[in-house]
Structures are given as C-alpha cells and as structure tokens.
C-alpha cells in the first residue's frame, strides 16, 4: 500500500477525478486548497517532500508523501518512510524530527 492509497478515497469523495491516470502526492497537493500552518483541521492532508529518491537519484518535484490528519500532532499514513519496517498503515506523529525536516504543506480537499 502506498501513501496515496489512504488519500484517494477522500479525494474521490469530493469530485476529484483520481481515476483518470496516475495521481501522486504532488498532484493531490495541487488539487487541494492550501492551508496555513496553524489552520489545519482533522481530515486535512499533510504533504512532505524529499522522502525518497527516484531511480535517477533525483528528488521527485514537490510533494513525495501524504497523510491524513487525525489531530494536531498525528496523521494516518499508509507507508511511514521513517519506520521503513514494512508495518504498513498506521498513525504517525508528524512532529517527530524526521517528518518536521520533510514537511512541505497542509491541504484541504475542495468541497
């Protein structure tokens, strides 16, 4: 399961067509309304950058990972790059140093 697998249902529920081709974390970020830090709410998406390198060794442009906010410090993520232990979906404390260093933005799915 990839991180976007967890975000795809909420995006689809609000009319964003995710079935018309590949959607990645950056495309999901672009489809959302940007939210300033401190204004985020439960259910908003949180985006991270530079969480992996592409096959060519470069960082993917923009967001490379996404989670759904559960509260002001936790998000549900389908794949926790920090754990890297194959445990799959779970709650992640995004205020941990790893995630703080990769934080990009918050976004809200348009209604």
């Amino acid at each position: 399961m990839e991180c976007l697998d967890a975000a795809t249902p909420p995006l689809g529920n609000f009319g964003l067509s995710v079935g018309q081709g590949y959607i990645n974390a950056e495309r999901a970020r672009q489809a959302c309304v940007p939210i300033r830090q401190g204004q985020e709410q439960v259910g908003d998406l949180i985006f991270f950058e530079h969480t992996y390198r592409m096959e060519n060794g470069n960082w993917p442009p923009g967001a490379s990972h996404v989670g759904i906010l559960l509260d002001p410090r936790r998000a549900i993520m389908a794949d926790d790059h920090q754990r890297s232990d194959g445990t799959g979906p779970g709650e992640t404390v995004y205020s941990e140093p790893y995630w703080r260093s990769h934080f990009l933005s918050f976004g809200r799915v348009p209604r």
Side-chain angles (χ1 to χ4, degrees):
M1 177 180 254
E2 293 186 16
C3 64
L4 206 53
D5 292 337
T8 297
L11 290 169
N13 288 341
F14 294 106
L16 296 179
S17 180
V18 296
Q20 298 177 355
Y22 181 70
I23 185 167
N24 60 20
E26 178 57 18
R27 283 188 58 205
R29 188 182 72 83
Q30 291 173 9
C32 287
V33 176
I35 302 297
R36 286 184 297 188
Q37 196 163 5
Q39 302 299 311
E40 66 274 10
Q41 299 174 3
V42 172
D44 286 342
L45 302 182
I46 184 170
F47 297 96
F48 301 92
E49 63 184 348
H50 302 154
T51 57
Y52 69 91
R53 290 187 185 267
M54 299 183 297
E55 288 181 15
N56 64 11
N58 294 329
W59 298 110
S64 60
H65 192 70
V66 60
I68 301 173
L69 296 182
L70 296 173
D71 62 34
R73 59 184 294 265
R74 294 178 308 136
I76 185 88
M77 296 187 199
D79 175 19
D80 185 332
H81 294 267
Q82 182 184 28
R83 284 193 313 257
S84 298
D85 61 3
T87 57
E91 295 177 12
T92 299
V93 177
Y94 61 83
S95 61
E96 294 288 329
Y98 175 85
W99 292 110
R100 279 197 321 258
S101 71
H102 293 280
F103 174 76
L104 178 62
S105 64
F106 291 107
R108 186 165 296 148
V109 176
R111 300 184 189 267

